[in-house]
Amino acid sequence: AAELEYESVLCVKPDVNVYRIPPRTSNRGYRASDWKLDHPDWTGRLRVTSKGKTAYIKLEDKVSGELFAQAPIDQYPGIAVETVADSSRYFVIRIQDGTGRSAFIGIGFTDRGDAFDFNVSLQDHFKWVKQETEISKESQEADTRPKLDLGFKEGQTIKLNIGNMTTKKGGAAKPRASGSGGLSLLPPPPGGKITVTPIPPPSSTAIANHVTPPPVLKSSNASSEDILLDLDDPASKAPASATTDLWGDFSTASSAVPNQAPQQSNWVQF
């Protein structure tokens, strides 16, 4: 599996200074002010790579690319890479050779942005390593757990209840469409009240078009026989006012006053 892993480049910085640092005399940490910052011991290119879960800090020649030193890192922050107490541009790394020997040297960047990129590249790599470790651990725990048998047993059935679907026995009632002559009313809004439109009273025109027969006025001195005699003898009818002459519009042509204008009555002329 280690042979199949490929090496990926995380960060490349063209300028880096290397310093020989004195051994640490106390636990207060390294200080860049104790180094000879104006006279670096070596200057070259820095390249951060990763292979599997291990990261490598490689110091190479700018022109030929020959490897000067290499620092494998298994954990960050850790003993392989440490920051100094008085600056953010300088670090202490532990270099190793193929024989197992190791030494601590100091590295520094002229630009503060290069130091920031170097630090972030290492943080991102080991954050990914942590996530991969947790995922693999969860997968191993899942394999050791007893598996659930979710298969159907012989003769076992399942019933699905899917909403908004009608069945043969019953279902949601379809809305009834109103016919051409029907009147469809919209339901009232929630919490609202139905306002009934009052029916307007009949207008005076409708009352005038409705013909009602005039009432028959009964006189105290006249009887039903006198009324029949008046119908038989038109000449004996005396002119009367519009309120007492009920049959003035039906007088014959042999009236005593031919040039008299027709009198008004309660009958409607068509």
Side-chain angles (χ1 to χ4, degrees):
E3 294 178 356
L4 297 177
E5 293 178 350
Y6 60 91
E7 186 179 24
S8 60
V9 178
L10 303 179
C11 179
V12 176
K13 294 301 174 182
D15 294 318
V16 63
N17 298 324
V18 177
Y19 304 92
R20 290 181 181 180
I21 61 176
R24 183 189 303 185
T25 58
S26 63
N27 294 329
R28 64 184 179 91
Y30 294 99
R31 295 178 64 87
S33 59
D34 298 336
W35 308 344
K36 297 178 181 180
L37 300 179
D38 297 336
H39 302 284
D41 297 298
W42 184 84
T43 302
R45 178 181 66 188
L46 180 140
R47 192 159 58 100
V48 181
T49 62
S50 64
K51 190 174 183 179
K53 296 182 179 180
T54 305
Y56 297 89
I57 300 176
K58 295 183 178 183
L59 303 175
E60 301 172 345
D61 187 80
K62 291 182 179 180
V63 180
S64 62
E66 183 182 357
L67 181 64
F68 172 75
Q70 176 177 275
I73 306 171
D74 297 331
Q75 184 181 357
Y76 182 77
I79 192 174
V81 180
E82 298 182 43
T83 59
V84 297
D86 57 347
S87 179
S88 61
R89 295 188 292 115
Y90 296 93
F91 302 86
V92 176
I93 64 175
R94 183 184 63 182
I95 59 175
Q96 293 179 353
D97 58 2
T99 61
R101 295 182 300 176
S102 62
F104 291 92
I105 62 174
I107 61 173
F109 300 94
T110 305
D111 188 5
R112 196 176 303 274
D114 294 341
F116 177 79
D117 295 341
F118 169 75
N119 190 17
V120 169
S121 63
L122 293 176
Q123 289 179 356
D124 291 344
H125 172 72
F126 286 98
K127 187 183 295 183
W128 170 81
V129 171
K130 183 179 180 181
Q131 293 176 354
E132 289 292 324
T133 304
E134 292 177 354
I135 292 174
S136 61
K137 184 178 180 181
E138 291 177 359
S139 61
Q140 291 176 0
E141 292 178 355
D143 294 338
T144 56
R145 296 173 185 172
K147 296 182 179 180
L148 297 177
D149 186 10
L150 301 178
F152 287 98
K153 306 299 187 294
E154 184 178 358
Q156 186 178 3
T157 59
I158 187 172
K159 182 179 179 181
L160 298 179
N161 186 9
I162 302 176
N164 299 329
M165 292 185 65
T166 59
T167 59
K168 293 182 179 180
K169 294 183 179 180
K174 296 183 179 179
R176 184 177 181 181
S178 59
S180 60
L183 179 61
S184 61
L185 297 177
L186 294 177
K193 296 182 179 180
I194 300 177
T195 303
V196 179
T197 305
I199 300 175
S203 60
S204 59
T205 306
I207 297 176
N209 293 333
H210 183 69
V211 180
T212 56
V216 179
L217 301 177
K218 294 183 179 181
S219 177
S220 58
N221 298 324
S223 62
S224 60
E225 295 179 358
D226 295 336
I227 295 174
L228 294 178
L229 292 176
D230 292 340
L231 292 177
D232 294 336
D233 189 5
S236 62
K237 182 184 300 183
S241 62
T243 57
T244 57
D245 187 7
L246 301 178
W247 306 97
D249 291 339
F250 297 94
S251 58
T252 59
S254 60
S255 177
V257 185
N259 295 330
Q260 187 179 2
Q263 297 178 357
Q264 296 180 358
S265 67
N266 293 332
W267 289 92
V268 179
Q269 299 293 332
F270 292 93

